[in-house]
Amino acid sequence: MGMQTPVATGRSVTGIPTGRLAVWWIVGSEIVIFGGLLMYYIMLRNKFDFWSESSAHTNTFAGALNTFILLTSSLFIVMAHYYAEQKDHIKSFKYIWATIGGGLCFLLVKSMEWTFEIMSGYTITSELFWSFYYTAAGIHAVHVIAGMVIMGIISFDVLQRKNMHRVELIGIYWHFVDIVWIFLFPLLYIAK
Amino acid sequence: MMNFMSLLRESASTFANDIDNLIAWVAILGGFWWLIAEGVLLWLIVKFRHKDGVKAQYITGEKKEEMKWIHWPHNIILFCDLVIIVMAIKVWHHVKQELPPADDTIRVIGQQWSWRFIHSGKDGILGTPDDVEKVDELHVKVGQTYHFKLETTDVLHNFSVPVFRLKQDVIPGRVITGWFKPTMTGTFDIQCAEMCGIGHGIMMGRIHVETPEQYDQWLATQQNVAQTH
Amino acid sequence: MSSSTHAAHHDDHHHHLSFWQKYIFSTDHKVIGMQYLLTGIFMGVIGGYMSYVFRMQLAFPGKEVPFFGLVTAAEYNSLITNHGSIMIFWFAMPVLIAAFGNYLIPLMIGADDMVFPRINRLSYQIFLLSALILIASFFVPGGGFGGAWTAYPPLSAKAEYNLTPWGSSLWLLAVALEFVAFLLGGINFITTLMNARAKGMKYTDIPIVLWMIVIASILFMASVGPLIAGAIMLLFDQMIGTGFFDPARGGDPILWQHLFWFFGHPEVYVVLLPAMGIVAEVMTTFSRKKLFAYKTVLFTTIATGVLSFFVWAHHQFIAGIDPRMANIFVVTTVLISIPIAEMLFVYIATLYGGSIRFTTAMLFALAFLATFLIGGVTGIFLGASGADIYFHDTYFVIAHFHYTFVPIAVIAVFAGLYYWFPKMFGRFMNEKLGKIHFWGTFIPFNTIFLPLFFTGAAGDHRRIFTYANFPQLATPGLQDLRIIATYSVVAIMLFQFVFFWNFFYSMFRGAKAGKNPWNANTLEWVAPSPPPHGNFDVFPEVYRGPYEFSVPGRDQDFWPQNEKA
């Protein structure tokens, strides 16, 4: 469907690039979704002490490792944005893929972690704490995957020096995914 | 205060009158402002309909003389709102936060799709072998203060007695306590006022408010078989 | 980047768009707006049909309903559940926000389209999918979900309680997808309004309807998140047996209610605001008057929006929440009546000194004010917690919210359709038929719901398929009121045929309309009727506000925004 980009897309009355406004809107929507989930968790957690017994079984080391991985990958996407601004499309492309690599490592650690936990009998239906654990981390992981896919698509545009402004935009999204994890980590792994 | 609510549905408990009174006040204050607003709307529609040769006026609504027509009603409504808030909280507090000492207690257990009522029996104490359990049938004495303990075995239900102006949701995993004091004898509807599935519409009970003599007569005819849960 | 003033892109390269490209897979905001409008109206007809069926059952319990058959208790619950869900999610929201929003925003800001047309198209496609999933839910084993549109667990969470295993999950999935569609749609509304405005259009030059639609989008976005989280949890409870809302497993059914109503209350303003926006546009044009206190309207709208996040538990006074908490919500709930009353007074004040023409659109706009006033005032009975103890879950509540929802989703929508029809199709709707439709809608609407205030106050509780089992309610007097309400439903439905005939006939055979048949000021009246792809030959520039009617010293009683001084 050959669509011509409308003139409207190029306007910017506020001076803020339209793409950035759109990403902030998306991030805002997601904050409320995760916020609702986490509020629910916190309220129930306060009510039921027996949860601390379940949460003792989460793998804090894996959680900490994943936190480090995500933070590093956020650094990589910042570098990718820097090089995009410098018009160095090759370096930008490489750093985008480094970020995707970070996401992949995150998912790998998580898969191993979950496999072990499920085999130890801690499944999504075994107890409410675990229901939360898998649901919250699972929805987060879906967002990680989505981010990786979008980054991959953008990287190929970047290689052709097209739509370089989108590196910043996916960077904002990726930082948000990172921040959600930074909330999840203490709630799921540290609060014991 | 003319209790016009009791024209629609009899008022058969002590706090029913308090609730009806609150309703009456909201009707008066709200009704007053509603009449003014509709009246002004109608007047403006008639007065300012298009007439040939008469141009409309250019009014921004930003001048003080113009805004005062909004500010004055706004402030008076604020005052009316505060009155309503205070009255509402007083009634609410009396019905839902206070718990006058009980002359007797009843257990009310809702389930899909019937009510079980456990009366305290001859000894007046719940949880003893002489408790009387009835399905969809509740007996109480007029003029006595009752506590009720609400439970459900499955989904949400709501114990509703319209003539008492009594309503309370019941939640699985909890026992919720409330009270009432009947003021009128008679037989009245008990409803379930929270969607509880296919049988929600047939979940009907009857409450018999009786004189002490009638109540004792009824009690004497009951078997002392209570299924305590 | 500044807005360009040179000619808009034409579809020079697109002489021959196929039918599919032009109407089904279009990215043009006007086509997408129409898609939302027609889908929404279609769903509204289904929802209306459902109300006809269940009201016939209530008036003549146990009798076969013409064009349906016998109504079982299970079907009754499914009908009322889906009536409510459809009307809010698949009729009111798509028509008010997505149809009018998509159609009007680019036109009224002097742009050629939304900023992200492909995301726009995607949002409609997801919306359509959600509608299809909902309809599918009626035909699965067990039938459609019947746990009320509020879907409180444990009833909604366990098939052993609701007896609609497939229907429950499909309903929930449909609702969740509808939320996603509107979140996507919101991206376009806010970015387009903020960034793609015509040169010279300051914030206070933006027509109120656009502010309303965008603020509504923001309210929606900020409130729906927790419910999406809740919906995922409920879906897991339904499908894989988690216990998020199961007290026996540590969950809490009341927390679903909080998640639901935290969204549910702002949601009513999400639909109210666009309706008020439409009414403002129609009223100013047909009274030839500037909107009274534009800034006040804007600020009270924002105040209402913010306050709307603090009132939600008034839906839960009796639910078993801590009674002390209820008192906080009484204060916020009763006080929110103030900015709303202020907005209504400001609208009424706009009529003062006007020169009012009673076109069909104007009749509907005025009827909105008259009927919404009843809805608003009756809300106070419910916000006053002590009174709500009695009115909760009775027909009084139903009558209250239909006196708000019907003005919002039906009356204001008709005002907008009659008003913008000439722009959309280049032809007029027939005014005579319009007036017949108006009275045939306005009068029966009142005779449906006024009696229900009384049946509710007499004790009729909600979601009951027959009152025959309740001796105090099975009285001839009350049954007469129920029958009057039902006959009025039939009447209002019949009169809608007048509208449909008028709408579709006039689309092809109505009297031709020019660019600005109502002599209005806003930018959509600068484009041809109907506007081509790209909307404007030359992009307009803005020199004044949107409501400069009857400016003293001028011959014309209107002054288009784009006319040079």
Side-chain angles (χ1 to χ4, degrees):
Chain A
M1 325 311 141
M3 178 201 86
Q4 282 173 292
T5 306
V7 169
T9 310
R11 291 181 176 176
S12 179
V13 173
T14 60
I16 306 170
T18 314
R20 211 187 289 163
L21 279 177
V23 175
W24 281 117
W25 173 270
I26 293 172
V27 167
S29 320
E30 300 275 23
I31 287 176
V32 206
I33 296 175
F34 279 103
L37 194 58
L38 293 180
M39 279 308 308
Y40 191 79
Y41 173 83
I42 292 171
M43 288 178 71
L44 280 184
R45 182 79 190 252
N46 279 337
K47 269 175 76 177
F48 300 112
D49 314 303
F50 61 77
W51 280 25
S52 51
E53 208 213 277
S54 318
S55 61
H57 296 282
T58 55
N59 187 336
T60 312
F61 174 72
L65 179 60
N66 264 344
T67 308
F68 173 75
I69 290 171
L70 273 187
L71 282 171
T72 310
S73 72
S74 262
L75 179 62
F76 288 148
I77 196 71
V78 169
M79 301 301 297
H81 177 219
Y82 171 76
Y83 285 114
E85 301 263 288
Q86 302 296 319
K87 310 267 193 265
D88 188 343
H89 62 291
I90 303 285
K91 279 227 176 77
S92 186
F93 176 84
K94 286 190 179 150
Y95 272 107
I96 292 176
W97 277 96
T99 313
I100 295 176
L104 196 58
C105 289
F106 175 90
L107 292 171
L108 275 168
V109 171
K110 188 140 289 298
S111 319
M112 294 193 301
E113 195 190 352
W114 281 13
T115 306
F116 179 73
E117 276 157 359
I118 292 171
M119 295 191 61
S120 308
Y122 301 122
T123 63
I124 194 172
T125 49
S126 50
E127 232 199 10
L128 200 53
F129 168 81
W130 291 103
S131 304
F132 263 111
Y133 174 83
Y134 288 109
T135 303
I139 296 176
H140 176 261
V142 167
H143 284 81
V144 169
I145 295 172
M148 286 163 63
V149 168
I150 296 173
M151 266 190 252
I153 297 172
I154 290 177
S155 76
F156 289 109
D157 272 357
V158 164
L159 205 54
Q160 298 168 49
R161 296 178 205 264
K162 276 173 22 181
N163 292 324
M164 307 278 278
H165 64 283
R166 289 184 180 166
V167 182
E168 182 202 9
L169 300 182
I170 194 61
I172 295 174
Y173 173 82
W174 193 253
H175 294 321
F176 161 73
V177 167
D178 206 355
I179 289 177
V180 171
W181 180 258
I182 292 181
F183 275 89
L184 282 181
F185 175 58
L187 286 175
L188 297 178
Y189 292 89
I190 300 188
K192 296 196 194 286
Chain B
M1 177 67 49
M2 170 66 177
N3 188 345
F4 56 81
M5 276 298 299
S6 59
L7 297 174
L8 282 168
R9 179 57 57 216
E10 45 278 77
S11 152
S13 79
T14 53
F15 59 63
N17 290 317
D18 300 317
I19 291 176
D20 287 355
N21 194 49
L22 172 62
I23 292 172
W25 271 107
V26 174
I28 289 172
L29 291 172
F32 170 74
W33 282 107
W34 177 75
L35 280 169
I36 291 188
E38 298 279 13
V40 169
L41 176 61
L42 201 54
W43 172 65
L44 290 176
I45 290 173
V46 170
K47 180 168 162 106
F48 291 106
R49 58 197 194 287
H50 167 79
K51 293 172 201 112
D52 282 325
V54 180
K55 213 176 165 192
Q57 300 172 31
Y58 185 79
I59 299 173
T60 63
E62 267 143 33
K63 298 203 198 121
K64 261 214 172 106
E65 318 85 78
E66 296 161 354
M67 277 308 281
K68 73 167 189 247
W69 289 101
I70 308 293
H71 287 319
W72 272 101
H74 167 120
N75 291 327
I76 302 175
I77 288 179
L78 178 58
F79 176 72
C80 292
D81 276 352
L82 293 172
V83 168
I84 291 174
I85 288 172
V86 169
M87 294 183 70
I89 291 181
K90 280 173 93 166
V91 173
W92 174 263
H93 189 271
H94 178 59
V95 178
K96 293 289 181 187
Q97 291 179 253
E98 289 169 17
L99 202 56
D103 294 318
D104 202 348
T105 305
I106 317 162
R107 271 180 80 198
V108 180
I109 304 171
Q111 65 186 67
Q112 286 182 319
W113 292 288
S114 61
W115 293 105
R116 281 159 50 215
F117 299 107
I118 302 176
H119 308 70
S120 59
K122 285 206 177 70
D123 64 358
I125 304 169
L126 261 185
T128 55
D130 75 341
D131 286 0
V132 177
E133 176 172 318
K134 302 294 285 181
V135 174
D136 291 340
E137 195 184 317
L138 174 60
H139 290 257
V140 293
K141 291 188 212 177
V142 69
Q144 302 257 286
T145 302
Y146 284 87
H147 288 189
F148 56 83
K149 301 238 176 255
L150 277 177
E151 301 163 51
T152 167
T153 58
D154 41 40
V155 300
L156 301 179
H157 298 274
N158 179 300
F159 179 53
S160 165
V161 184
V163 298
F164 289 172
R165 311 290 185 267
L166 184 160
K167 216 169 244 148
Q168 178 58 51
D169 269 12
V170 53
I171 305 163
R174 287 202 225 176
V175 180
I176 297 181
T177 304
W179 71 278
F180 60 84
K181 184 171 176 182
T183 53
M184 189 193 289
T185 54
T187 301
F188 309 108
D189 288 353
I190 295 173
Q191 307 167 332
C192 170
E194 182 58 55
M195 170 59 97
C196 60
I198 292 174
H200 173 61
I202 56 166
M203 198 160 156
M204 191 275 285
R206 296 286 270 167
I207 183 169
H208 302 261
V209 184
E210 295 161 330
T211 62
E213 299 77 40
Q214 289 169 326
Y215 184 86
D216 290 335
Q217 268 178 345
W218 166 76
L219 199 55
T221 66
Q222 297 309 304
Q223 303 288 1
N224 299 343
V225 194
Q227 313 298 321
T228 38
H229 241 255
Chain C
M1 286 175 260
S2 59
S3 59
S4 57
T5 50
H6 59 262
H9 277 129
H10 279 304
D11 33 343
D12 305 278
H13 326 290
H14 299 268
H15 296 297
H16 302 293
L17 283 176
S18 70
F19 172 83
W20 291 98
Q21 284 175 309
K22 207 167 168 205
Y23 292 114
I24 308 296
F25 293 107
S26 174
T27 55
D28 184 308
H29 71 102
K30 300 184 290 297
V31 176
I32 295 174
M34 278 296 141
Q35 289 173 330
Y36 271 111
L37 179 66
L38 293 174
T39 311
I41 289 179
F42 175 75
M43 295 298 279
V45 168
I46 296 181
Y49 166 73
M50 290 176 168
S51 69
Y52 152 76
V53 175
F54 65 69
R55 278 241 57 94
M56 287 295 282
Q57 157 62 19
L58 285 170
F60 311 108
K63 298 269 181 346
E64 273 198 27
V65 175
F67 303 110
F68 184 86
L70 272 177
V71 181
T72 65
E75 280 168 339
Y76 184 88
N77 285 357
S78 187
L79 285 165
I80 52 128
T81 298
N82 287 289
H83 166 78
S85 311
I86 287 177
M87 290 317 215
I88 296 172
F89 297 127
W90 285 281
F91 174 62
M93 284 178 70
V95 172
L96 283 165
I97 301 172
F100 282 112
N102 267 306
Y103 196 88
L104 294 174
I105 292 178
L107 281 169
M108 286 177 114
I109 62 168
D112 55 341
D113 207 319
M114 291 288 196
V115 166
F116 299 113
R118 280 172 302 193
I119 294 183
N120 211 12
R121 178 180 57 192
L122 180 64
S123 81
Y124 172 73
Q125 290 168 336
I126 295 178
F127 170 74
L128 182 62
L129 179 64
S130 76
L132 293 171
I133 291 178
L134 184 78
I135 293 175
S137 78
F138 306 151
F139 299 105
V140 294
F145 177 56
W149 85 285
T150 45
Y152 286 178
L155 180 66
S156 59
K158 285 192 167 159
E160 69 186 88
Y161 293 144
N162 58 51
L163 307 177
T164 59
W166 290 98
S168 311
S169 296
L170 285 176
W171 177 89
L172 193 53
L173 191 58
V175 173
L177 277 174
E178 193 264 14
F179 289 165
V180 170
F182 274 86
L183 281 175
L184 276 177
I187 297 177
N188 264 307
F189 296 155
I190 190 157
T191 52
T192 306
L193 184 67
M194 285 181 74
N195 261 356
R197 275 172 277 146
K199 184 159 171 233
M201 186 179 261
K202 306 187 298 292
Y203 285 119
T204 47
D205 296 331
I206 298 174
I208 279 286
V209 68
L210 300 189
W211 273 120
M212 294 291 194
I213 290 173
V214 169
I215 294 174
S217 281
I218 296 173
L219 285 183
F220 177 77
M221 184 269 267
S223 63
V224 84
L227 184 55
I228 292 180
I232 295 174
M233 292 192 279
L234 185 60
L235 208 55
F236 281 178
D237 273 14
Q238 287 176 347
M239 298 182 73
I240 62 181
T242 48
F244 285 110
F245 301 110
D246 185 347
R249 317 256 303 269
D252 190 347
I254 300 297
L255 284 181
W256 163 268
Q257 297 183 23
H258 285 301
L259 290 171
F260 183 88
W261 287 115
F262 181 79
F263 159 74
H265 197 84
E267 165 69 2
V268 316
Y269 300 105
V270 167
V271 291
L272 171 63
L273 263 38
M276 292 207 69
I278 292 172
V279 168
E281 303 303 324
V282 172
M283 272 181 55
T284 47
T285 297
F286 292 115
S287 62
R288 315 309 288 164
K289 276 217 59 221
K290 193 170 162 121
L291 182 68
F292 192 96
Y294 176 103
K295 287 201 188 114
T296 301
V297 173
L298 205 48
F299 292 141
T300 46
T301 302
I302 294 173
T304 305
V306 170
L307 260 179
S308 74
F309 282 92
F310 296 98
V311 303
W312 82 88
H314 65 235
H315 298 272
Q316 296 165 268
F317 282 145
I318 306 300
I321 61 173
D322 188 326
R324 293 168 294 183
M325 195 160 85
N327 295 320
I328 301 172
F329 286 94
V330 175
V331 176
T332 53
T333 301
V334 176
L335 288 181
I336 204 175
S337 64
I338 299 200
I340 299 175
E342 180 127 338
M343 268 203 280
L344 289 171
F345 290 165
V346 163
Y347 272 49
I348 294 175
T350 301
L351 293 170
Y352 183 90
S355 173
I356 302 172
R357 290 207 126 95
F358 296 104
T359 56
T360 306
M362 186 57 159
L363 287 173
F364 274 107
L366 293 172
F368 171 87
L369 292 175
T371 49
F372 190 80
L373 275 171
I374 297 179
V377 168
T378 50
I380 306 206
F381 288 95
L382 306 174
S385 49
D388 187 63
I389 297 175
Y390 182 65
F391 287 127
H392 173 76
D393 226 79
T394 64
Y395 267 74
F396 193 94
V397 177
I398 293 183
H400 155 72
F401 70 67
H402 281 86
Y403 262 99
T404 50
F405 261 110
V406 174
I408 287 170
V410 175
I411 295 179
V413 162
F414 283 135
L417 288 177
Y418 281 98
Y419 182 57
W420 279 296
F421 187 93
K423 177 55 56 187
M424 294 175 182
F425 301 108
R427 294 175 185 275
F428 286 102
M429 284 180 79
N430 181 298
E431 271 294 303
K432 271 216 185 69
L433 291 179
K435 301 226 159 71
I436 294 174
H437 172 232
F438 169 74
W439 291 108
T441 302
F442 179 69
I443 295 176
F445 163 62
N446 284 290
T447 58
I448 297 171
F449 294 105
L450 277 172
L452 298 182
F453 279 120
F454 291 99
T455 63
D460 270 16
H461 47 319
R462 290 176 70 174
R463 301 157 173 169
I464 303 294
F465 73 106
T466 171
Y467 292 97
N469 303 314
F470 296 88
Q472 284 191 288
L473 301 177
T475 62
L478 286 176
Q479 189 60 16
D480 283 343
L481 289 176
R482 296 177 198 123
I483 291 174
I484 291 173
T486 299
Y487 280 146
S488 308
V489 169
V490 175
I492 210 176
M493 303 268 149
L494 291 175
F495 275 99
Q496 302 318 302
F497 284 107
V498 175
F499 171 77
F500 284 119
W501 169 260
N502 197 358
F503 189 79
F504 289 106
Y505 183 85
S506 307
M507 227 189 254
F508 302 104
R509 296 258 205 273
K512 284 222 172 198
K515 284 188 182 184
N516 190 2
W518 310 123
N519 285 345
N521 296 326
T522 41
L523 295 181
E524 77 273 29
W525 306 106
V526 173
S529 301
H533 187 58
N535 297 338
F536 301 99
D537 264 344
V538 176
F539 284 122
E541 290 183 23
V542 168
Y543 300 96
R544 65 192 60 82
Y547 307 113
E548 297 305 299
F549 290 103
S550 310
V551 177
R554 285 180 49 85
D555 280 334
Q556 273 187 324
D557 72 343
F558 66 109
W559 203 356
Q561 287 190 276
N562 69 321
E563 212 176 273
K564 279 207 174 85

